[in-house]
Amino acid sequence: MGDDRDKILVVHFFRSDAGNEPVRDWLQGLSREDKKIIGEDIKTVELGWPIGMPVCKSLGNGILEVRSNVTGGRIARTLFCIDRGLMILLHGFIKKTRKTSKSDLELARKRKRRLESG
């Protein structure tokens, strides 16, 4: 990627107790084009923090989303939190409904709580 000193935030993937990185796994399952789009949107947040709409939006309680328009007219969201200058990617998904589902948001909150307690 580039030099981390140029970034306002540095991206880290949330890691489960088992050592899995769910957002990295999700990204690896996407097409090359979708990965590129989402990666560029995440980089925009890294380099431009603080940044708002249309790329980034707060969902409350310290959870934010990177908003990406991917191929096929689909919409992707990468949920994250900020912890000591790190942009921790908590959860990623392709939206199926207009509003972010409660289960997607709750999963990100659960992962954030685990970070805070660890």
Side-chain angles (χ1 to χ4, degrees), residues 57-65 80-81 90 105 108-109 112:
K57 179 181 174 187
S58 172
L59 300 177
N61 298 322
I63 303 287
L64 301 106
E65 67 179 3
F80 70 97
C81 65
L90 300 168
L105 193 51
R109 286 182 179 141
K112 180 177 182 281

Side-chain angles (χ1 to χ4, degrees), residues 17-89:
D17 290 335
N20 300 324
E21 294 176 327
V23 176
R24 186 186 303 270
D25 294 342
W26 169 70
L27 286 168
Q28 288 174 342
L30 298 175
S31 72
R32 176 178 290 178
E33 184 65 22
D34 288 349
K35 282 189 267 200
K36 183 175 188 243
I37 293 166
I38 293 167
E40 287 173 358
D41 289 339
I42 290 170
K43 187 175 181 180
T44 297
V45 175
E46 279 183 284
L47 297 173
W49 186 255
I51 191 169
M53 292 289 280
V55 177
C56 186
K57 179 181 174 187
S58 172
L59 300 177
N61 298 322
I63 303 287
L64 301 106
E65 67 179 3
V66 177
R67 304 161 63 89
S68 302
N69 295 311
V70 293
T71 60
R74 297 171 306 142
I75 298 170
R77 296 291 186 255
T78 308
L79 305 186
F80 70 97
C81 65
I82 305 291
D83 184 37
R84 292 168 280 206
L86 301 176
M87 178 183 183
I88 311 290
L89 304 182

